[in-house]
Amino acid sequence: MVRKPLIAGNWKMNMTPAESVVLSQGISNRSARGWNKVDVVLCPPAIDLRSVVTVLDFDKSSIEVGAQNVHWEPSGAFTGEIGIPMLKDVGCSWCIVGHSERRAMFAETDMQVNRKVRALVEAGMKPIVCVGESEAVRDKGAAEAFVCDQVRAALAGVDADEAALCSIAYEPVWAIGTGRSATPEQAQSMACAIRRTVRDLVGEEVACGMRILYGGSMKPENAEAFLSCEDVDGGLIGGASLDADDFAALVKTAVDHV
Ligand code: PGA
């Protein structure tokens, strides 16, 4: 099956609303023929979503917008949180879930990740579910078991139609923001294990169609090697998504692969 590549930029806690206009405009200006063959998603901080959507709408761009986090309840007494109806209202159709920074620094659990995934798919939104092992887990030789457990936990209670909305980003914790990416072989072998796990959970068809991304120090210079892997269908890009030229170069690499 031919899967449409997905390139998502995770801006993390960077860019004021004014800066987000400049960056999204810069990326939109660099978009070229063929970009619609790839799902390109910008995930700015929540406070920037409105500005970024406005820029992309004005340009009639095929680039879409995602959030970096969400609460599973639609509304209520959850100070500081953002609900799915708010994201949909602002024009956001994707959402990163379970990023390792949220798991490590904000104590997000597998169970919370699962609640978020279920709430998003019930609302018809598209979760990008992040999984990945620490260096200690990899050194013990337990990376595959750990990551596949995270996948099973994230997708618990999700049926095949709902899972079809999900993508999974394999992001080894030791590769994020370190400049030390995984090897393409490591990425391919984990992506293949993730796809097998998804197949066991929701069947062959959805597993074959699901985009599995690599993330962790992916940049224009190494993107080609990752995107050439049979089971790697795109990237979740942190640092390199903050530079319009780098991000556009990454998208172009994906376009050239279609
Ligand atoms: P990085 O971040 O590309 O800066 O390593 C990736 C991510 O955390 O999603």
Side-chain angles (χ1 to χ4, degrees), residues 10 12 99 101 171 175-178 215-218 236-240:
N10 174 12
K12 309 193 180 184
H99 191 279
E101 286 153 15
E171 300 202 304
I176 294 177
T178 58
S217 300
M218 190 158 164
L236 181 57
I237 322 294

Side-chain angles (χ1 to χ4, degrees), residues 11 15-30 51-52 55 242 244:
W11 294 6
M15 300 292 147
T16 63
E19 290 166 344
S20 78
V21 170
V22 176
L23 179 56
S24 54
Q25 188 67 70
I27 292 168
S28 175
N29 290 347
R30 284 163 178 76
S51 319
V52 173
V55 168
L242 298 173

